[in-house]
Amino acid sequence: MPPPGGTPPPHPPPDGGWGWVVVGAAFISIGFSYAFPKAVTVFFKEIQLLFNTTYSEIAWISSTMLAVMYAGGPISSVLVNKYGSRPVVMVGGLLCCLGMVSASYSTNVVELYFTMGLICGLGLAFNLQPALTIIGKYFYKKRPVANGLAMAGSPVFLSTLAPFNQYLFNTYGWKGSFMILGGLLLNCCVAGSLMRPVEPKASTESKNKVGVRETDCSMKKRQKKLSVWEEINKYLDFSLFKHRGFLIYLSGNVIMFLGFFAPVIFLAPYAKDKGIDEYSAAFLLSVMAFVDMFARPTVGLIANSKLIRPRIQYFFSFAVMFTGICHLLCALAEDYTSLVVYAVFFGLGFGSVSSVLFETLMDLVGAQRFSSAVGLVTVVECCPVLLGPPLAGKLVDETGQYKYMYLACGAIVVLASVWLLIGNAANYRLLAREKKKSIHTKESQETEPLKTSQSPSVNIKSGKNEEWKGAEVNSSERETNI
Amino acid sequence: MRALQGLRGPRAPSLPLLLLCFLAALRRSLEHGLSTAAPFKSLPVQEEMMTKYSNLSLESHNISVTAAPFTSLPVQEEMMTKSSNLSLESHSISMTAAPFTSLPVQEEMMTKSSNLSLESHSISMTAMPIKENNKGNQICVDRGIMLQRNVTLEHSNMPVEKNITLERPSNVELICQFTPSGDLNSVNVTWKKGDKLLEDNYLVNATGGTLYTQHRVAVINSKQMGSYSCFFGEKKQQRGTFNLKVPEINGQNKPLITYLGDSVVLMCKCQDCLPLNWTWYGGNGSVQVPIGVPVNDKYVISGKHANETRLKITQLSEDDQGTYLCHAIFELGESEGHVKLVVLSYLVPLKVFCAIAAEVVLLVAAILLFEMYTQKKKKPSDDGKEFEQGEQLKLDDSNGIENSGPRHRKNESVGQ
């Protein structure tokens, strides 16, 4: 079990070596998690015919899968906190396989909701969370690059899964395809097996033994004071809701996701509405996915630079603002060329936001509390992600034009970016002030023994890992300044 | 997928009508919005708009087929409005050929009202001067008639044709319009149905420099369906053809894959037609056996709307494989669509699944074994490191982060 937030990790992140293999494994897990719910829509037409339902009833399968994937976040976080990433991802892969294989035997829509939606969605949740968490454990200095590379899995998998699913459908029909897809999802287990835990258990045990010997009396006292609340916090850190940075991030993201996904979903119908033929409209989505694919690692690299990394929250806000402005300008698009330009810029914006989405959260709460944080964030984000597209669809139905929907989405996203910008500017300033205070108090307490669990690295001794320690101050101080 | 565009023509539907159609189109496009595919095809099709009101019986239908540059004849069918109460049908086709073809044809319009449903269709052929093309066929510009010495219009691969779909008995009026640049009176006008020359029932009119000919057909049953052609001139005949057909039925283009013991639903649909009756035929090879005649559990024929039919087959077996035909019977004839069914055994995807599962198990085992192997290698050296770290921790009293050297020194100085 990792120590509670506020202490630096007992083992520094390797920042390389096996870490890059773990990035590849996370690439697979994240790719399946985000791309799978969207890619299965290829099968829906035939299933709808067979089960004699309306299309919206079938489309709910995809939404249920996405909802469970997001809502399963906290469960996933608890399990990761207890057992580490590897077993959770492997269980997730098995669950996904089970869900899809049993879906191939289903005879009505409700069974599909249960097998595909619930079981498979839970399996995907067990893939997404741990993959993000383990990147934080393996990387610090190069974390933005690692995050960008891992998140690039989503567009890559989407662009390969969609035509692959079409091929499977033509060759095996929907039943056979579901079975084969279940087999494919087993590859998540392979990804999971690559996610080696960072700290070898032996060293932690020896350190703990030493720590126990030294702080024996204080530990005994602390154990008596552990309340129910703290027990729960061991599994899922609810104290994050008092964390200023976390709250800013959460509120900004909730607003943003309301208007984030709808433009993607409605891009093809919007193009067809303008008179563009079906294949060119589908091509727009491919353009977007292609740009997205390359934008994510590139933006990860940019975010890693010395200039941007300390101000990564601002960078995130600007990326969100860029996307919002893209949506606003899309309303002006009239012909195919302008839509292609929009798709390119939107791909860029979408990619840059997704790339630093979890990096900023890690930056705010630190790698220790990240697993709980991401669980809580996804369960809260579940609502806007699910409500956004239907609301947008309603807006289109009411006004009869896609233009207003794009303007509304753009406005919402720009609003979110402004809120994030202001919030984070205030947060940075308050943190700087608190840091100064703590330096002054620490200087006055220099003679006291260094037993306390406060950040020990305020007085930076070694010039070597300045970035790590300097930022360590920032992150740990952010954690401590609740 | 339908896209919305403004109508060109004498009648434009009202705004609520447009909205209604748009909503219907939107719902369908919303459904397909999530799929991403980028296939490469050479012939994009644009179907522009169709609105339909049953009361006013106003139908506007707009099709433009734009072919890739290497095909020779793009066809634009512009408008067709149909009103069953007023029995008004206006149908217009304009065929504009690609720049290197020689004969653009414009079919313009007609509207007429009567009690019986009357349809009038017209093709107009206007000859246009063309520049010299690569084949070396020369054109006499001053005469204004397309003259291709080597190629006559009949041999050219650009038939001037129009397809008309008819469902109900109606009076059809076919109009051909021709603008010769020579003497009007020297042009001979004839009509043919198929190969048979028609003697009566047509009028010839000359106005300005254009020759109009009009042929009325009372279409009551399938005997009157077929192709009607108007001919101008003797030697170099210009010809326009109207093909009167019943609506086409769309089955499924790709074969349906199903498994033994499964159920499947086959669907046939036509765009906007109301057949009198639907029947299904199944056949292995050439023998067409009607389905559902002895009513049993295995086959269930149903259909949510009049323009579609569904055949549900349960308990599939290998014998059920093959092509199924759905027959739509109209007053004016019959039409059919094909659906191909393939029945596989469960072993086929199961084999693939097992192959993938085996690969996964192998990889996981390999990775875990590799990890245990590398850890075993590290262990002897690890023990030594741990011992050192333990000593340092005792001295430092802090959580060990990388460089304990300088801190060690600092502690010593502090301790002292």
Side-chain angles (χ1 to χ4, degrees):
Chain A
M1 218 185 304
T7 52
H11 216 79
D15 259 302
W18 189 255
W20 296 115
V21 180
V22 172
V23 168
F27 182 89
I28 297 173
S29 280
I30 293 174
F32 272 123
S33 301
Y34 278 120
F36 197 72
K38 293 177 202 162
V40 283
T41 55
V42 174
F43 303 108
F44 285 172
K45 216 171 180 182
E46 203 196 325
I47 299 177
Q48 176 203 347
L49 201 60
L50 181 62
F51 292 162
N52 206 17
T53 61
T54 62
Y55 193 81
S56 52
E57 280 180 32
I58 295 288
W60 267 106
I61 297 175
S62 206
S63 311
T64 318
M65 212 190 278
L66 208 63
V68 173
M69 190 177 92
Y70 271 81
I75 307 172
S76 201
S77 301
V78 167
L79 290 172
V80 169
N81 279 338
K82 191 145 194 222
Y83 299 110
S85 290
R86 178 186 261 171
V88 182
V89 175
M90 294 184 83
V91 168
L94 287 170
L95 269 178
C96 285
C97 173
L98 181 73
M100 286 310 283
V101 170
S102 41
S104 77
Y105 288 99
S106 57
T107 50
N108 58 43
V109 189
V110 179
E111 284 178 26
L112 275 180
Y113 286 151
F114 188 69
T115 52
M116 268 180 91
L118 192 67
I119 300 180
C120 200
L122 198 65
L124 290 177
F126 284 179
N127 266 297
L128 179 65
Q129 301 280 49
L132 294 167
T133 310
I134 203 163
I135 294 176
K137 289 192 184 151
Y138 262 91
F139 285 90
Y140 183 77
K141 277 187 275 179
K142 294 188 188 155
R143 199 173 59 196
V145 181
N147 261 313
L149 277 172
M151 293 296 283
S154 173
V156 167
F157 269 71
L158 187 60
S159 12
T160 36
L161 264 184
F164 181 68
N165 276 1
Q166 189 69 47
Y167 161 75
L168 277 182
F169 178 65
N170 289 342
T171 321
Y172 297 101
W174 69 271
K175 281 203 170 192
S177 302
F178 278 3
M179 192 176 276
I180 294 174
L181 281 173
L184 271 176
L185 284 168
L186 269 182
N187 282 308
C188 292
C189 292
V190 178
S193 64
L194 285 169
M195 293 182 185
R196 250 185 236 175
V198 182
E199 51 232 305
K201 286 182 185 174
S203 50
T204 25
E205 279 175 24
S206 66
K207 281 180 199 158
N208 282 339
K209 282 182 202 164
V210 172
V212 163
R213 251 179 267 154
E214 294 299 328
T215 57
D216 221 352
C217 318
S218 47
M219 278 290 281
K220 277 183 187 168
K221 283 183 193 169
R222 263 185 231 156
Q223 267 177 351
K224 283 179 189 172
K225 285 183 187 172
L226 275 179
S227 62
V228 179
W229 180 245
E230 281 170 349
E231 283 284 337
I232 297 174
N233 267 14
K234 262 198 283 176
Y235 290 104
L236 191 63
D237 200 352
F238 281 102
S239 66
L240 278 166
F241 282 114
K242 293 187 213 160
H243 191 292
R244 190 173 53 227
F246 179 77
L247 287 173
I248 295 171
Y249 177 87
L250 190 62
S251 47
N253 271 27
V254 164
I255 303 173
M256 179 183 76
F257 275 116
L258 265 177
F260 201 62
F261 287 116
V264 190
I265 294 174
F266 288 108
L267 187 59
Y270 181 46
K272 283 175 212 154
D273 183 54
K274 294 252 173 216
I276 296 164
D277 62 283
E278 201 175 317
Y279 301 115
S280 308
F283 183 64
L284 281 175
L285 282 170
S286 309
V287 165
M288 212 205 86
F290 192 71
V291 174
D292 190 10
M293 217 185 286
F294 290 105
R296 290 194 194 199
T298 318
V299 168
L301 263 173
I302 295 173
N304 207 24
S305 59
K306 272 192 178 174
L307 186 63
I308 305 279
R309 185 94 190 263
R311 304 175 192 88
I312 203 168
Q313 305 294 334
Y314 293 137
F315 182 72
F316 180 57
S317 318
F318 281 123
V320 176
M321 194 181 284
F322 177 76
T323 315
I325 293 176
C326 271
H327 293 331
L328 289 173
L329 291 176
C330 180
L332 298 172
E334 289 302 319
D335 60 344
Y336 187 60
T337 325
S338 50
L339 276 177
V340 172
V341 171
Y342 165 71
V344 169
F345 279 108
F346 182 36
L348 210 64
F350 194 77
S352 47
V353 171
S354 307
S355 170
V356 288
L357 188 67
F358 292 108
E359 170 58 35
T360 44
L361 185 60
M362 278 188 215
D363 185 61
L364 281 169
V365 303
Q368 297 301 94
R369 302 165 86 181
F370 178 72
S371 64
S372 312
V374 75
L376 295 171
V377 158
T378 49
V379 78
V380 174
E381 275 173 10
C382 192
C383 293
V385 164
L386 284 181
L387 286 178
L391 280 177
K394 245 195 177 167
L395 187 64
V396 176
D397 283 347
E398 298 282 318
T399 58
Q401 282 206 47
Y402 286 95
K403 192 170 76 166
Y404 298 113
M405 188 266 294
Y406 274 94
L407 283 172
C409 287
I412 292 172
V413 173
V414 169
L415 178 73
S417 75
V418 168
W419 164 244
L420 279 171
L421 201 64
I422 296 173
N424 279 309
N427 194 32
Y428 273 143
R429 229 171 267 171
L430 287 168
L431 282 173
R433 219 181 289 168
E434 283 156 7
K435 183 176 156 188
K436 272 187 199 166
K437 269 191 209 166
S438 66
I439 288 177
H440 286 141
T441 48
K442 285 242 161 84
E443 277 173 358
S444 62
Q445 292 170 6
E446 221 177 8
T447 50
E448 281 192 32
L450 291 167
K451 280 194 251 182
T452 55
S453 59
Q454 288 286 313
S455 166
S457 49
V458 173
N459 302 314
I460 297 166
K461 289 291 148 188
S462 61
K464 247 194 194 179
N465 299 312
E466 207 168 5
E467 269 182 348
W468 150 248
K469 286 198 176 142
E472 169 69 282
V473 174
N474 278 342
S475 61
S476 58
E477 291 215 316
R478 279 186 206 131
E479 294 164 41
T480 53
N481 293 310
I482 294 171
Chain B
M1 299 295 116
R2 299 212 166 111
L4 197 60
Q5 258 208 0
L7 269 182
R8 284 168 277 165
R11 274 160 205 80
S14 58
L15 187 61
L17 170 64
L18 269 168
L19 201 62
L20 194 76
C21 165
F22 176 72
L23 284 173
L26 175 62
R27 229 166 269 135
R28 223 169 304 175
S29 26
L30 268 179
E31 296 153 7
H32 296 277
L34 288 175
S35 64
T36 56
F40 302 99
K41 289 214 174 162
S42 58
L43 187 73
V45 171
Q46 249 181 0
E47 185 182 310
E48 284 179 19
M49 233 231 4
M50 184 180 88
T51 54
K52 199 173 194 173
Y53 259 162
S54 53
N55 275 349
L56 295 177
S57 315
L58 184 87
E59 201 172 280
S60 65
H61 188 93
N62 208 337
I63 288 181
S64 95
V65 179
T66 53
F70 49 85
T71 59
S72 53
L73 186 72
V75 170
Q76 250 180 359
E77 182 182 315
E78 274 180 31
M79 223 202 46
M80 180 178 89
T81 53
K82 190 183 198 173
S83 154
S84 69
N85 272 353
L86 299 173
S87 314
L88 185 97
E89 198 170 286
S90 74
H91 190 103
S92 111
I93 287 184
S94 98
M95 296 191 232
T96 53
F100 51 86
T101 57
S102 51
L103 186 74
V105 170
Q106 256 179 354
E107 174 184 325
E108 276 165 1
M109 73 48 90
M110 64 284 152
T111 52
K112 213 167 199 181
S113 60
S114 78
N115 274 348
L116 297 171
S117 57
L118 181 96
E119 285 177 34
S120 55
H121 304 263
S122 82
I123 289 180
S124 81
M125 291 181 268
T126 49
M128 244 178 53
I130 335 159
K131 297 170 192 155
E132 211 170 55
N133 58 14
N134 297 335
K135 287 182 187 173
N137 296 324
Q138 284 184 1
I139 290 81
C140 302
V141 177
D142 55 340
R143 290 231 262 147
I145 296 181
M146 186 259 339
L147 271 188
Q148 280 194 323
R149 287 182 199 163
N150 298 335
V151 178
T152 64
L153 190 59
E154 256 119 19
H155 294 302
S156 74
N157 55 352
M158 303 168 291
V160 176
E161 254 184 75
K162 192 189 168 254
N163 294 325
I164 302 163
T165 38
L166 285 177
E167 241 185 277
R168 281 179 283 263
S170 47
N171 286 329
V172 183
E173 195 174 272
L174 309 167
I175 301 174
C176 286
Q177 184 184 323
F178 181 62
T179 312
S181 56
D183 183 19
L184 278 174
N185 294 322
S186 68
V187 180
N188 199 1
V189 181
T190 48
W191 280 90
K192 274 191 187 172
K193 178 180 187 285
D195 286 328
K196 192 182 127 194
L197 193 67
L198 296 169
E199 296 296 322
D200 58 347
N201 233 2
Y202 64 89
L203 305 166
V204 183
N205 194 357
T207 317
T210 322
L211 208 58
Y212 295 91
T213 178
Q214 183 186 343
H215 178 60
R216 264 206 206 179
V217 187
V219 182
I220 306 169
N221 55 33
S222 58
K223 286 184 202 160
Q224 285 90 35
M225 305 290 275
S227 71
Y228 293 82
S229 312
C230 59
F231 293 89
F232 293 98
E234 289 276 24
K235 287 181 193 170
K236 315 267 187 240
Q237 280 198 331
Q238 312 295 342
R239 173 187 177 173
T241 313
F242 298 91
N243 293 320
L244 269 65
K245 290 181 185 169
V246 281
E248 264 182 25
I249 309 290
N250 297 323
Q252 263 135 335
N253 297 328
K254 291 182 199 155
L256 283 179
I257 317 276
T258 49
Y259 295 92
L260 295 169
D262 251 359
S263 323
V264 71
V265 173
L266 309 175
M267 189 169 89
C268 275
K269 209 175 180 176
C270 66
Q271 290 298 91
D272 52 319
C273 62
L274 299 163
L276 295 171
N277 204 3
W278 289 96
T279 42
W280 282 91
Y281 292 90
N284 293 328
S286 52
V287 180
Q288 301 294 331
V289 179
I291 293 178
V293 171
V295 179
N296 53 4
D297 286 332
K298 179 157 171 146
Y299 300 104
V300 177
I301 301 180
S302 61
K304 275 191 178 167
H305 312 285
N307 67 338
E308 67 175 35
T309 181
R310 296 179 185 199
L311 174 67
K312 182 166 183 176
I313 311 176
T314 49
Q315 304 289 325
L316 282 166
S317 65
E318 277 221 3
D319 301 326
D320 293 319
Q321 232 175 192
T323 311
Y324 288 80
L325 299 169
C326 52
H327 248 85
I329 300 171
F330 298 97
E331 283 181 53
L332 300 174
E334 287 187 355
S335 182
E336 62 181 33
H338 307 263
V339 181
K340 193 174 170 201
L341 193 69
V342 175
V343 182
L344 301 172
S345 102
Y346 253 116
L347 289 177
V348 176
L350 198 65
K351 278 185 207 166
V352 181
F353 175 78
C354 288
I356 300 177
E359 164 249 325
V360 167
V361 168
L362 273 172
L363 278 175
V364 172
I367 291 168
L368 290 175
L369 283 172
F370 174 71
E371 187 174 323
M372 282 195 322
Y373 177 69
T374 46
Q375 287 224 336
K376 272 184 188 170
K377 264 190 169 180
K378 272 189 185 174
K379 257 193 177 172
S381 49
D382 255 359
D383 285 330
K385 276 189 192 166
E386 273 180 36
F387 184 61
E388 280 176 38
Q389 273 195 345
E391 287 198 332
Q392 282 181 346
L393 282 170
K394 279 185 204 169
L395 289 166
D396 287 358
D397 249 13
S398 62
N399 304 320
I401 305 186
E402 307 158 81
N403 289 334
S404 39
R407 193 170 291 135
H408 186 81
R409 265 183 264 125
K410 202 235 168 188
N411 277 336
E412 283 183 341
S413 64
V414 166
Q416 285 167 3

